[in-house]
Amino acid sequence: MRWKGRRISTNVEDRRGGGAKAGGISILGLIVAFIAWKFFGVDPQQAYQATQAVTSAQSSQGSAPQSLTGDQKEASDFVGTILADTEDTWTPIFQQLGMSYKPPRLVLFNGVVRSGCGTAQAAMGPFYCPTDQKVYIDTSFFKEMRQQMGISGEQNQTELSRQDQAGDFAQAYVIAHEVGHHIQNLLGISSQVQQARSQMSQTQGNQLSVRLELQADCFAGIWAHQNQQRTQFLEQGDIEEAMDAAQKIGDDYLQKRATGQVVPDSFTHGTSEQRMHWFQLGLKSGDINQCDTFK
Ligand SMILES: [Zn+2]
C-alpha cells in the first residue's frame, strides 16, 4: 500500500508518551512564583503549585507529546494520512447528500485512555466513542495485529521499504472501519439502532449490532474504492491482506481482549464471511446505497 507523501490530517490527538514535564521543575513556574511573591506577597510555594497545575493541565490537553521515537512518528504520520484519506472520501459524499461532513478526531494512546465513553484500556482494541466523536487507537494494537496475522514472517522484509511494509493496508482498514462508525453516528443510524435495541430481546439486539458492524465494513470498502480512484494507493496483495485481517480480527479475537468499563468495538461483528462480503460490496461499488445491511 502506498501512503507516503499525501496530506496528513490535523485531527490526530497524540496522547502517547506525554508527561515529559512530570516531576520536573518548570522554570516558568519558578519565575511566576517569584514575581507573585515579590510583588503580590503570595507564598511562593503556593504560587508555584498553582502555575504547575495550570501547565500540567495544558500539557495533558496538548496534542503533541514532547519526544517521539522514529517509529512513533512514523505511526502517527501513517494514521494521520489514512484519516486524511477518509476525510477526502467522505466530504464529497456528504456534499452529495446535502450535508456537511464533520470529521472525527483520532486519539493515539498508550496503555490507558480517558474517553467520552469512560476509561479504556489498550487491550480492548480500537473503538469509536459517539459521545465525543473520537476514534481511539493504541498503536501497539497494530503491532499485535501484525503478529497475529503472522505477516512479518511471510515476506522478505529486506525487500520491502518501510512504507510498503506488510500489514499496513489491514491497519488502514481498521481505521476506516472505525470512521465508518462515525459516519453511522452522523447519519443517525447508530441512534436509530440504539433505540430499536431498547425494545428488543438481547438476541435480536445483537443481530442489529452485527448489521451495524457489517455496515462499517461496507463503509470501509467505500473508502478503499474512493481512495483508489483518487490516489491509486493499492498494491498487489492489499485486498487479500484486508480480507485476511477481517478473518483474523473477528469476534473471538477482539472479544478475548475485551475487559473493563467501556463496551469496546468487540461485540458480534459477524462471521468473517459476512465481513468480507460487505467490505467487497463497498469496495466494488463505492456507493453508500449498496451498504444497507438492515434490509
Ligand atoms: Zn466496529
Short mmCIF file of all heavy atoms in Angstrom, two decimals, residues 33-56:
data_model
loop_
_atom_site.label_atom_id
_atom_site.label_comp_id
_atom_site.label_asym_id
_atom_site.label_seq_id
_atom_site.Cartn_x
_atom_site.Cartn_y
_atom_site.Cartn_z
N ALA A 33 6.24 32.27 40.29
CA ALA A 33 6.13 32.19 41.75
C ALA A 33 6.95 33.31 42.41
O ALA A 33 6.50 33.96 43.36
CB ALA A 33 6.62 30.83 42.23
N PHE A 34 8.13 33.56 41.84
CA PHE A 34 8.99 34.60 42.39
C PHE A 34 8.33 35.97 42.26
O PHE A 34 8.28 36.76 43.19
CB PHE A 34 10.36 34.59 41.67
CG PHE A 34 11.26 35.68 42.13
CD1 PHE A 34 11.93 35.59 43.36
CD2 PHE A 34 11.45 36.82 41.37
CE1 PHE A 34 12.76 36.61 43.79
CE2 PHE A 34 12.28 37.84 41.79
CZ PHE A 34 12.95 37.74 43.00
N ILE A 35 7.79 36.22 41.06
CA ILE A 35 7.12 37.51 40.82
C ILE A 35 5.93 37.67 41.75
O ILE A 35 5.74 38.73 42.37
CB ILE A 35 6.65 37.62 39.33
CG1 ILE A 35 7.88 37.70 38.43
CG2 ILE A 35 5.76 38.85 39.13
CD1 ILE A 35 7.57 37.59 36.95
N ALA A 36 5.17 36.60 41.90
CA ALA A 36 3.99 36.65 42.77
C ALA A 36 4.40 36.98 44.21
O ALA A 36 3.75 37.77 44.89
CB ALA A 36 3.25 35.30 42.72
N TRP A 37 5.50 36.37 44.63
CA TRP A 37 5.97 36.58 46.00
C TRP A 37 6.49 38.01 46.17
O TRP A 37 6.16 38.72 47.09
CB TRP A 37 7.08 35.56 46.29
CG TRP A 37 7.85 35.82 47.55
CD1 TRP A 37 7.36 35.83 48.82
CD2 TRP A 37 9.25 36.10 47.64
NE1 TRP A 37 8.36 36.09 49.70
CE2 TRP A 37 9.54 36.26 49.01
CE3 TRP A 37 10.28 36.23 46.70
CZ2 TRP A 37 10.82 36.55 49.47
CZ3 TRP A 37 11.55 36.50 47.16
CH2 TRP A 37 11.82 36.68 48.53
N LYS A 38 7.29 38.44 45.20
CA LYS A 38 7.96 39.73 45.24
C LYS A 38 6.97 40.89 45.21
O LYS A 38 7.05 41.84 45.95
CB LYS A 38 8.92 39.82 44.05
CG LYS A 38 9.90 40.96 44.09
CD LYS A 38 11.13 40.61 44.91
CE LYS A 38 12.06 41.82 44.98
NZ LYS A 38 12.96 41.77 46.12
N PHE A 39 6.00 40.78 44.27
CA PHE A 39 5.14 41.93 44.03
C PHE A 39 3.77 41.83 44.68
O PHE A 39 3.14 42.82 44.95
CB PHE A 39 4.98 42.17 42.52
CG PHE A 39 6.27 42.52 41.85
CD1 PHE A 39 7.02 41.55 41.20
CD2 PHE A 39 6.74 43.82 41.90
CE1 PHE A 39 8.23 41.87 40.61
CE2 PHE A 39 7.96 44.14 41.30
CZ PHE A 39 8.72 43.17 40.65
N PHE A 40 3.31 40.59 44.88
CA PHE A 40 1.95 40.48 45.42
C PHE A 40 1.94 39.83 46.80
O PHE A 40 0.89 39.63 47.38
CB PHE A 40 1.05 39.67 44.46
CG PHE A 40 1.03 40.24 43.08
CD1 PHE A 40 1.71 39.62 42.04
CD2 PHE A 40 0.33 41.41 42.80
CE1 PHE A 40 1.69 40.14 40.76
CE2 PHE A 40 0.31 41.94 41.53
CZ PHE A 40 1.00 41.31 40.49
N GLY A 41 3.11 39.48 47.30
CA GLY A 41 3.18 38.90 48.62
C GLY A 41 2.55 37.53 48.74
O GLY A 41 2.17 37.10 49.82
N VAL A 42 2.41 36.82 47.60
CA VAL A 42 1.84 35.47 47.64
C VAL A 42 2.93 34.48 48.04
O VAL A 42 4.07 34.59 47.58
CB VAL A 42 1.27 35.07 46.26
CG1 VAL A 42 0.74 33.66 46.27
CG2 VAL A 42 0.18 36.06 45.86
N ASP A 43 2.58 33.54 48.91
CA ASP A 43 3.53 32.48 49.29
C ASP A 43 4.07 31.81 48.03
O ASP A 43 3.30 31.27 47.24
CB ASP A 43 2.79 31.46 50.17
CG ASP A 43 3.65 30.26 50.51
OD1 ASP A 43 4.84 30.26 50.16
OD2 ASP A 43 3.12 29.31 51.11
N PRO A 44 5.40 31.87 47.81
CA PRO A 44 5.97 31.36 46.55
C PRO A 44 5.65 29.88 46.31
O PRO A 44 5.44 29.47 45.17
CB PRO A 44 7.47 31.58 46.70
CG PRO A 44 7.71 31.94 48.13
CD PRO A 44 6.42 32.44 48.68
N GLN A 45 5.60 29.10 47.38
CA GLN A 45 5.34 27.68 47.17
C GLN A 45 3.92 27.46 46.61
O GLN A 45 3.71 26.70 45.68
CB GLN A 45 5.50 26.90 48.48
CG GLN A 45 5.74 25.42 48.21
CD GLN A 45 5.93 24.63 49.51
OE1 GLN A 45 6.21 25.20 50.55
NE2 GLN A 45 5.77 23.34 49.41
N GLN A 46 2.99 28.22 47.21
CA GLN A 46 1.60 28.13 46.73
C GLN A 46 1.49 28.59 45.29
O GLN A 46 0.85 27.96 44.46
CB GLN A 46 0.71 29.02 47.59
CG GLN A 46 -0.07 28.26 48.63
CD GLN A 46 -0.91 29.20 49.47
OE1 GLN A 46 -1.14 30.37 49.10
NE2 GLN A 46 -1.36 28.70 50.60
N ALA A 47 2.15 29.71 45.00
CA ALA A 47 2.08 30.27 43.65
C ALA A 47 2.69 29.29 42.64
O ALA A 47 2.17 29.07 41.56
CB ALA A 47 2.82 31.60 43.59
N TYR A 48 3.79 28.64 43.07
CA TYR A 48 4.44 27.70 42.17
C TYR A 48 3.53 26.52 41.88
O TYR A 48 3.36 26.11 40.73
CB TYR A 48 5.76 27.21 42.80
CG TYR A 48 6.47 26.19 41.92
CD1 TYR A 48 7.12 26.61 40.76
CD2 TYR A 48 6.46 24.84 42.23
CE1 TYR A 48 7.74 25.70 39.94
CE2 TYR A 48 7.08 23.92 41.42
CZ TYR A 48 7.72 24.35 40.27
OH TYR A 48 8.33 23.45 39.45
N GLN A 49 2.89 26.02 42.95
CA GLN A 49 1.98 24.88 42.76
C GLN A 49 0.83 25.26 41.82
O GLN A 49 0.42 24.48 40.98
CB GLN A 49 1.44 24.40 44.10
CG GLN A 49 2.44 23.48 44.79
CD GLN A 49 2.15 23.32 46.29
OE1 GLN A 49 1.25 23.96 46.82
NE2 GLN A 49 2.93 22.47 46.93
N ALA A 50 0.35 26.49 41.99
CA ALA A 50 -0.76 26.93 41.14
C ALA A 50 -0.35 26.95 39.67
O ALA A 50 -1.08 26.46 38.80
CB ALA A 50 -1.23 28.32 41.56
N THR A 51 0.85 27.49 39.39
CA THR A 51 1.25 27.54 37.97
C THR A 51 1.52 26.14 37.44
O THR A 51 1.26 25.86 36.28
CB THR A 51 2.53 28.39 37.76
OG1 THR A 51 3.57 27.83 38.55
CG2 THR A 51 2.31 29.83 38.14
N GLN A 52 2.04 25.26 38.32
CA GLN A 52 2.28 23.88 37.88
C GLN A 52 0.98 23.21 37.47
O GLN A 52 0.92 22.49 36.49
CB GLN A 52 2.94 23.06 39.00
CG GLN A 52 4.41 23.31 39.16
CD GLN A 52 5.18 23.02 37.89
OE1 GLN A 52 5.33 23.89 37.04
NE2 GLN A 52 5.67 21.80 37.73
N ALA A 53 -0.05 23.45 38.28
CA ALA A 53 -1.36 22.85 37.98
C ALA A 53 -1.83 23.30 36.61
O ALA A 53 -2.32 22.50 35.81
CB ALA A 53 -2.37 23.24 39.04
N VAL A 54 -1.63 24.59 36.32
CA VAL A 54 -2.06 25.11 35.03
C VAL A 54 -1.25 24.50 33.89
O VAL A 54 -1.80 24.01 32.91
CB VAL A 54 -1.95 26.66 35.00
CG1 VAL A 54 -2.18 27.18 33.58
CG2 VAL A 54 -2.94 27.28 35.96
N THR A 55 0.09 24.47 34.05
CA THR A 55 0.89 23.96 32.93
C THR A 55 0.65 22.47 32.71
O THR A 55 0.65 22.02 31.58
CB THR A 55 2.40 24.19 33.14
OG1 THR A 55 2.74 23.92 34.49
CG2 THR A 55 2.82 25.59 32.74
N SER A 56 0.43 21.70 33.81
CA SER A 56 0.23 20.28 33.57
C SER A 56 -1.14 20.04 32.93
O SER A 56 -1.29 19.16 32.10
CB SER A 56 0.40 19.46 34.85
OG SER A 56 -0.67 19.71 35.72
#
